[in-house]
């Protein structure tokens, strides 16, 4: 896999990663736009969290963060998602990443990992599982990486800061994005809508 050294090339590469083949509302599956993924990944790259690091992508969908980490020089990358259709598609698209189909919360804690990216369900939809984002954080603490990048609704920022601090996670950066939500589910009434999200970078 040829290493990428420019942000614009990274965004172009991410655009080629396939989207969720059959988005499931209870999992709140929305593909991360290339412009957001590339910006976050480039920040992680600049902060020395990817090159020669072992990366894990929790709630990976079709593996954008795992695949892009390998393109940026990660030593290895593992993607984990409960949706078999997405994992099968990701595996067929990129053979350089290890993809695991299963519940993130059921992962064994014997992985050697430096950096974790995670994009859990926010629990904002009617049929979504509440508290999934906190379960992801708790699993990350068990996996004990050096650094975590975690996606959340911006409206939960104050609570999350407190939760991170109570669990001895040192927040170093908070990245803010307007996440476009396309009209892909039956209950959507608009062609698209923007949701304010944050990505918290924390040291463990």
């Amino acid at each position: 896999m040829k290493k990428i050294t420019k942000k614009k090339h990274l965004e172009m590469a991410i655009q080629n990663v396939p989207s969720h083949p059959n988005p499931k509302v209870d999992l709140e599956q929305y593909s991360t736009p290339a412009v957001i993924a590339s910006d976050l990944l480039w920040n992680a790259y600049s902060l020395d969290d990817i090159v020669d690091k072992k990366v894990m992508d929790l709630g990976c969908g079709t593996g954008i963060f795992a695949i892009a980490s390998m393109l940026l020089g990660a030593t290895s990358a593992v993607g984990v998602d409960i949706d078999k259709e997405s994992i099968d598609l990701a595996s067929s698209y990129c053979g350089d990443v290890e993809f695991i189909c299963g519940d993130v919360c059921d992962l064994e804690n014997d992985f050697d990992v430096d950096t974790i990216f995670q994009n859990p369900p926010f629990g904002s939809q009617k049929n979504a599982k509440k508290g999934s984002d906190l379960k992801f954080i708790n699993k990350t603490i068990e996996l004990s990486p050096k650094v975590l990048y975690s996606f959340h609704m911006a409206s939960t920022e104050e609570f999350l800061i407190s939760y991170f601090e109570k669990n001895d996670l040192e927040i170093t950066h908070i990245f803010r994005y307007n996440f476009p939500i396309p009209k892909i589910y039956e209950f959507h009434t608009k062609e698209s809508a923007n949701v304010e999200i944050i990505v918290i970078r924390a040291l463990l």
Side-chain angles (χ1 to χ4, degrees), residues 94-109:
C94 180
D96 293 319
V97 173
E98 178 187 356
F99 287 104
I100 299 171
C101 183
D103 191 324
V104 165
C105 298
D106 294 335
L107 275 178
E108 297 293 333
N109 300 333

Side-chain angles (χ1 to χ4, degrees), residues 3-182:
K3 183 179 176 182
I4 286 177
T5 56
K6 293 185 177 181
K7 184 179 178 181
K8 65 178 180 179
H9 293 160
L10 177 64
E11 183 175 343
M12 291 169 62
I14 289 174
Q15 287 173 343
N16 292 325
V17 177
S19 301
H20 295 98
N22 180 24
K24 298 169 180 62
V25 65
D26 59 320
L27 299 178
E28 294 186 86
Q29 289 181 322
Y30 299 100
S31 296
T32 306
V35 64
I36 292 178
S38 61
D39 183 77
L40 182 64
L41 283 154
W42 197 256
N43 276 293
Y45 174 79
S46 301
L47 290 165
D48 197 28
D49 293 332
I50 295 182
V51 177
D52 295 330
K53 301 295 192 296
K54 297 173 183 176
V55 175
M56 181 171 278
D57 183 0
L58 301 182
C60 69
T62 53
I64 286 177
F65 290 98
I67 293 168
S69 292
M70 292 300 292
L71 290 170
L72 288 170
T75 301
S76 63
V78 178
V80 184
D81 200 282
I82 200 168
D83 181 26
K84 187 176 186 301
E85 288 180 285
S86 293
I87 288 295
D88 287 346
L89 183 57
S91 297
S92 65
Y93 178 78
C94 180
D96 293 319
V97 173
E98 178 187 356
F99 287 104
I100 299 171
C101 183
D103 191 324
V104 165
C105 298
D106 294 335
L107 275 178
E108 297 293 333
N109 300 333
D110 55 359
F111 286 91
D112 182 10
V113 57
D114 299 304
T115 301
I116 286 180
F117 292 92
Q118 63 180 27
N119 193 357
F122 297 141
S124 61
Q125 301 299 340
K126 182 178 180 181
N127 297 324
K129 296 178 180 178
K130 303 297 182 182
S132 293
D133 53 347
L134 300 186
K135 291 179 181 178
F136 272 59
I137 294 169
N138 294 337
K139 174 53 66 174
T140 294
I141 293 170
E142 293 177 11
L143 292 168
S144 191
K146 295 180 177 65
V147 62
L148 165 67
Y149 289 83
S150 190
F151 281 73
H152 301 277
M153 296 285 287
S155 59
T156 63
E157 179 176 346
E158 186 175 344
F159 168 78
L160 287 165
I161 289 174
S162 175
Y163 193 83
F164 272 60
E165 291 176 347
K166 286 179 181 178
N167 285 279
D168 297 323
L169 277 67
E170 179 188 349
I171 296 174
T172 64
H173 299 71
I174 298 179
F175 303 97
R176 305 177 189 278
Y177 300 103
N178 284 318
F179 196 107
I181 302 295

